[in-house]
Amino acid sequence: MKNFNIGKLTKAFNIEIDSIASDKSISHRCAMFSLFSKETSYIKNFLTAEDTLNTLSIVEQLGAKVKRDGSTVEISPRETLNEPNDVLDCGNSGTAIRLFCGFLASVDGAFTLNGDKYLNERPMKRVANPLRSIGANIDGREDGNKAPLFIRGAKELKPFTYTSPVDSAQVKSAMILAALRADGISKYKENELTRDHTERMLKGMGATLENDNEGFINIHPLKGHLKPLNITVPTDPSSGFFFALAAAITPNSRVLIKNVTLNPTRIEAYQVLKRMGAEVNFIEKQNVYEPIGDIEVSHKELNGVVVEDNISWLIDELPALSIAMSLAKGKSLVKNAKELRVKESDRIDSVLTNLKKCGVTFTEFEDGYEIIGGTLSKASINSHGDHRIAMSFSIAGLFCDMDIEDTDCILTSFPNFKELLDSLSK
Ligand code: S3P
C-alpha cells in the first residue's frame, strides 16, 4: 500500500500530452469482442493497466492466442472457446465482470468470475436478473448479487424486450452480448443514452443493431462470425480529465490532451468545466468507430454549477469535478447521481469524507451533494482503494499540497499518472 505527497505547484504550465492512458472502456471491449471473429484482431494503444490486462488474460484463458508487445496486441481466437481450468479474475473491474456475464451466458462450459475485495461487494443482480430471465444460469453470493459469480453456459437464450431500471452501459453491453447469441431479435431500452462503445464497435464488426422509433435497440442474433477489429484505441477522456482539471485550477495554465475520444457520452465533464468558466475547445481530427481529436483546456476563474442531467455521461468524472467545485466561486449542486454509491467505492461518501478533511463545507444527499466553493486545505486523503478518488485529490495537491494514502489503485487505469503529474512542475 503506497502513499505519496503531491506538492503545491509554484508555476504555471502550458503542455501538450500524448501519453495519457488509453481508453479503458474501449480496451476491455476490444479484448472481449475479438472473440466474435475467427480472424486475428489487431489493436494498437491497448490500455496496459491492471483492469484491462486482467480482461486480456481472461480472453487467453478462454482459448484465444494473445501476442502483446507493449500496447500493441494481436488476438487470434479459436473456433470454439475453452472451458478454463481456473477462476477468471476480473480484479477491480465492474466492466469486465458484468460484460463477461453477458458474453459467457451461452458459452458451453462452467465459468467462475471473481474480483478483488472491492468488486466483490458491488451489485451484480442488475445483470444477473435480466440474464436469468432469458435462460442464463448465473449464481453467486447473496442469490447471485455478489461475486464470485458462477455461470454454466445455457444451451439457448430467449430473445427479450427489456427496459433497464438503471442507466448503465455495463448492463446494456451485457444484454447486447447475450442477445447476439439468442434465438431471435432482442430489444433493449434505457432511459438516457449511456456510453455507446459496444454498439459502435459491434456494428463496425458487422453485427446488426438498429435503433427503432420507440427508443429500443434491436439486436439481431449473429449468423456466423464477425469481422476482426483493426483499431487504435484513443486516449481515455476520463483519465485526461485529471489534467483538464489541473489546467482549470492553475492560473495562466493550459493543457492540450491529444487523440481523445470525443464521443458525446464521454466528454460531458469537459462541458461542465466550460460552464463553470474554464476555456475548453474540442478539435475533431478523425472518425474511426468514434469521433477522435484533441481537447484544449485553459484556466479562467471558476464559478459554481448545477449538475443534474446526463449524469451517466460524466459519472466517472464527478470526483474530479468536486475538486473544481470546491475551488469555484459560489455553490455547486450534484443531483440524480445515486449510481455514485456503487462505483469502485461509495463515491459520495469517499468524496465528502475527504473534502471534510480539506475544510470544505457541503451538504450530503442520497443522490448527490451541494458544495460551498472557496478553497481547499492540505489533508491526508484516504483513497478508499478507488483510483479516481486518489487521482482527483492528487490534482487538488497542486493547489494546496496533499498526502494521498493507498495509491496502488491508480494502477488499475492510469499507471503513468504520477509520472505525468510530476512533469507539470519540471
Ligand atoms: C463503463 C460504464 C460505466 C462507467 C465505468 C465504465 C463501461 O459504468 O462508470 O467506469 O465501460 O461500460 P456503469 O455501466 O455501471 O454506469
Side-chain angles (χ1 to χ4, degrees), residues 25 29 95 98 126 167-170 195 315-316 343:
S25 292
R29 285 162 172 81
T95 303
R98 294 192 179 117
R126 52 181 61 198
D167 288 330
S168 157
Q170 293 174 359
R195 66 187 67 189
I315 193 87
D316 290 343
K343 290 293 173 188

Side-chain angles (χ1 to χ4, degrees), residues 206-254:
T208 307
L209 284 85
E210 298 150 345
N211 288 78
D212 67 22
N213 44 25
E214 286 162 40
F216 283 96
I217 309 170
N218 294 331
I219 309 128
H220 294 238
L222 294 184
K223 295 214 180 75
H225 289 93
L226 292 178
K227 285 184 282 190
L229 283 161
N230 193 339
I231 184 172
T232 300
V233 179
T235 293
D236 194 315
S238 307
S239 296
F241 193 70
F242 297 111
F243 290 88
L245 170 68
I249 64 169
T250 309
N252 304 315
S253 294
R254 168 190 171 268

Side-chain angles (χ1 to χ4, degrees), residues 23-26 28-29 94-96 98-99 122 126 166-173 194-195 197-198 238 266 312 315-316 339 342-344 347 387-388:
D23 195 77
K24 185 146 73 85
S25 292
I26 297 176
H28 279 300
R29 285 162 172 81
T95 303
R98 294 192 179 117
L99 268 63
R122 295 179 65 188
R126 52 181 61 198
V166 38
D167 288 330
S168 157
Q170 293 174 359
V171 175
K172 172 172 65 175
S173 303
T194 61
R195 66 187 67 189
H197 308 300
T198 296
S238 307
R266 298 294 305 281
S312 72
I315 193 87
D316 290 343
E339 276 294 300
V342 290
K343 290 293 173 188
E344 285 84 329
R347 285 187 176 153
H387 56 141
R388 299 204 200 278

